Amino acid sequence: MEKLSIIKIGGNIIEDETSLHAFLKLFSNLEGKKILVHGGGKRATHIATKLGIESKMVNGRRITDAETLEVITMVYGGLVNKNIVAKLQALGTDAIGLTGADINSIQSDKRPVKEIDFGFVGDVKKVANNSIDKLIQADFTPVFCAITHDGKGQLLNTNADTITSTIAVGMSELYDTSIYYCFELNGVLQDFDDKASVIKHINSKTYQELLKNGVISDGMIPKLDNCFDALKNGVQKVHIGNTSMLTKENELFTTITL
């Protein structure tokens, strides 16, 4: 099977023009088929504040009412997505910016109300891997923002990490897929105060030991659980680290396998 790399970047890279340009240069130089997924929550919060719209968060998740959804659509699907696409074109990568509604690529269900009503937030149920593959086969590089739809005309705010893993699972029927989660740290750390203490390899067995010993806790648990779900459903490898893990020279990042 041909290899496909799916790379996710978060708000801190997007917010800093120098970091964004450096990342996009690495992404453009990455060999083979690839897909980019981005968030943009920090920019959305900033613009919502300028418009006098309060951003409500619960456990790090955004409550998306109708007004907030308008801001997210403008920021994720417009400002951030098209800025990234334009910069990639300048670097010679023929990119196409997408939401999950485009070519019906990612359908979601509106999250049911339990203890908290998250509003217009989507839980992914279906990825149209063959439609996405038509773009890849035409030598376009898809750039997805964190918006999906319900198939009935409603857009939904959707977690970018989840979009990344579900696209990777869907595409694994057609490709040998790997995920690269790019964030601020060098990888999963043995000691949070020592930024060089990267755990280079984690599998199912070592993950349970790290959990038991309290090395991995809090926000990293759902992120890694997400990684193992992807691996159990066809993804070959998941990599976590800073953007320099996309270069051949850097070996200081975490690779997760079953």
Side-chain angles (χ1 to χ4, degrees):
M1 280 177 127
E2 197 174 357
K3 292 187 183 298
L4 174 68
S5 301
I6 300 166
I7 294 96
K8 188 261 175 177
I9 54 167
N12 288 345
I13 296 167
I14 291 163
E15 284 302 298
D16 184 83
E17 279 295 317
T18 307
S19 298
L20 180 60
H21 180 75
F23 163 75
L24 292 176
K25 207 167 180 181
L26 290 175
F27 179 80
S28 288
N29 291 333
L30 193 66
E31 293 174 2
K33 311 289 190 193
K34 55 202 171 191
I35 294 172
L36 180 58
V37 181
H38 66 82
K42 289 191 173 183
R43 185 70 60 89
T45 299
H46 176 66
I47 289 181
T49 302
K50 284 171 79 172
L51 293 170
I53 299 165
E54 183 188 355
S55 295
K56 302 183 188 80
M57 310 288 283
V58 177
N59 299 327
R61 304 273 182 171
R62 190 183 299 273
I63 305 290
T64 308
D65 58 18
E67 209 172 27
T68 303
L69 184 66
E70 287 186 354
V71 174
I72 280 169
T73 304
M74 287 189 288
V75 175
Y76 293 4
L79 184 63
V80 174
N81 188 269
K82 299 312 167 195
N83 185 42
I84 288 172
V85 168
K87 288 180 187 304
L88 284 172
Q89 299 293 359
L91 292 164
T93 293
D94 205 359
I96 179 165
L98 302 162
T99 68
D102 295 292
I103 60 168
N104 195 26
S105 51
I106 312 168
Q107 272 197 41
S108 294
D109 290 323
K110 185 172 179 286
R111 185 169 297 168
V113 178
K114 293 179 182 173
E115 295 86 25
I116 299 158
D117 183 358
F118 282 98
F120 295 101
V121 167
D123 295 318
V124 179
K125 68 171 183 178
K126 190 164 70 174
V127 171
N129 55 358
N130 288 309
S131 297
I132 296 169
D133 190 42
K134 284 177 185 174
L135 297 175
I136 292 169
Q137 290 301 322
D139 288 329
F140 295 124
T141 297
V143 178
F144 281 97
C145 69
I147 296 171
T148 59
H149 76 132
D150 67 356
K152 301 167 190 169
Q154 180 62 59
L155 295 173
L156 296 165
N157 181 19
T158 307
N159 180 271
D161 281 355
T162 305
I163 285 177
T164 304
S165 62
T166 51
I167 288 174
V169 168
M171 299 310 292
S172 69
E173 294 177 20
L174 308 171
Y175 292 91
D176 177 343
T177 58
S178 293
I179 298 173
Y180 294 82
Y181 284 114
C182 296
F183 71 155
E184 296 71 51
L185 302 175
N186 294 326
V188 180
L189 304 179
Q190 186 78 42
D191 175 5
F192 190 76
D193 294 324
D194 179 2
K195 304 306 180 196
S197 65
V198 173
I199 305 166
K200 287 193 174 183
H201 296 99
I202 297 175
N203 59 27
S204 306
K205 186 181 175 187
T206 54
Y207 180 46
Q208 292 307 316
E209 289 169 4
L210 292 165
L211 282 172
K212 187 178 171 184
N213 297 329
V215 173
I216 293 172
S217 59
D218 303 328
M220 281 305 292
I221 294 174
K223 192 179 274 286
L224 286 172
D225 284 346
N226 207 359
C227 295
F228 280 105
D229 282 344
L231 291 166
K232 286 170 187 169
N233 286 287
V235 174
Q236 291 298 308
K237 287 181 181 175
V238 182
H239 311 276
I240 298 178
N242 66 33
T243 57
S244 66
M245 70 176 163
L246 301 181
T247 66
K248 289 175 181 173
E249 295 77 34
N250 180 32
E251 295 180 351
L252 196 64
F253 57 88
T254 302
T255 297
I256 302 167
T257 58
L258 283 177

